[in-house]
Amino acid sequence: MLQLVRILLTHGRRLAETAADQAHNPQFATIAAVFGTYNLAFIVLRVQRGILRAIALERYLLARAGRGRDITIVPPRNRTPATPPATPQPARIPTPTYGRFLDPSHPANFHIPTLQELEAQIRRRPIGRTIADICTDLAVIPGFCTAQFWSGLFDTLQFYGGSLTAMYESRGHREQTFRRERDKRPETWHCNWQDLRPATIRHLLGHLIGETPPALVLATPPP
């Protein structure tokens, strides 16, 4: 699991470093679509939060390993159907609520917890939920990953309390948001935002998630 988290962390850091350079590339639409916006500042905020989550989880896993403690597998929950009451109950009239709904995906309502807050959150809930949150923040989708990495991620979420359903719901919501934004930006209509060919993803991200990242080429200093 530690290796999986480190792969996600490497991906997040590379994405944070290269997003600004790729923003003017027509193929950047593929990245924008999975984040739900062309707003580069908001994309970077999401990535930064995903990086922080991954750092916090890495520290937590290392601490547990240092104490010789394994991560507990979370058994699937079996929902028992509710037993209907013996006699009909009067219908409850819902209490009206007031106030404006705050969409957490809107930039104005975005929040980045501190590293300490994230570490406290990790300690009190299943590991899989944090991994799902990291993937959501970093907009990890199957098309960005090698088949082997996605399979391992799928198993990790399944066995450690994560939810693929929540990830797919978030992706669907972002796609709808992206479509609405794109409709107002005719200069982007020629961009194919559904291009998930491996060659396109490697061009945008440098590599598929799960592949070995290309080595950084350091310039040789003059003698």
Side-chain angles (χ1 to χ4, degrees):
M1 184 181 296
L2 186 58
Q3 179 65 13
L4 182 146
V5 173
R6 285 175 170 168
I7 289 174
L8 291 172
L9 182 55
T10 298
H11 164 64
R13 285 171 169 162
R14 183 174 180 84
L15 185 57
E17 292 171 357
T18 61
D21 294 334
Q22 294 287 357
H24 301 292
N25 183 339
Q27 291 177 320
F28 184 73
T30 300
I31 301 293
V34 294
F35 279 98
T37 182
Y38 273 104
N39 187 328
L40 181 61
F42 190 35
I43 290 174
V44 172
L45 281 176
R46 282 194 180 279
V47 172
Q48 288 175 342
R49 188 171 66 179
I51 291 171
L52 268 183
R53 289 190 197 277
I55 291 173
L57 182 54
E58 180 187 42
R59 290 171 56 164
Y60 174 77
L61 293 174
L62 286 172
R64 286 187 67 98
R67 296 193 298 269
R69 299 180 61 188
D70 291 330
I71 303 299
T72 304
I73 292 178
V74 179
R77 291 182 295 177
N78 296 321
R79 299 183 181 274
T80 304
T83 303
T87 56
Q89 301 295 316
R92 294 181 59 186
I93 301 176
T95 303
T97 57
Y98 303 95
R100 184 169 58 91
F101 171 72
L102 298 180
D103 182 0
S105 66
H106 191 280
N109 306 322
F110 193 79
H111 171 63
I112 298 183
T114 65
L115 189 60
Q116 292 71 27
E117 289 172 336
L118 289 171
E119 288 176 334
Q121 183 187 70
I122 289 169
R123 288 193 294 269
R124 62 176 182 262
R125 66 179 192 168
I127 295 296
R129 287 187 60 186
T130 297
I131 293 177
D133 285 346
I134 293 170
C135 291
T136 300
D137 278 339
L138 300 182
V140 175
I141 62 173
F144 286 4
C145 306
T146 64
Q148 182 179 3
F149 178 81
W150 182 258
S151 177
L153 176 61
F154 178 91
D155 290 343
T156 300
L157 293 175
Q158 183 177 19
F159 293 127
Y160 294 98
S163 173
L164 269 175
T165 301
M167 288 175 56
Y168 280 120
E169 287 177 349
S170 174
R171 181 183 176 186
H173 173 72
R174 289 182 183 183
E175 183 175 314
Q176 293 175 6
T177 303
F178 175 77
R179 287 176 181 271
R180 290 194 295 268
E181 180 180 317
R182 183 173 180 269
D183 287 344
K184 300 175 183 178
R185 300 184 57 165
E187 73 277 9
T188 68
W189 291 352
H190 69 286
C191 302
N192 181 8
W193 59 273
Q194 295 175 311
D195 184 0
L196 292 174
R197 292 173 298 173
T200 300
I201 305 308
R202 289 189 179 100
H203 177 71
L204 289 168
L205 303 180
H207 60 96
L208 297 181
I209 304 172
E211 291 179 339
T212 302
L216 294 177
V217 179
L218 301 179
T220 304

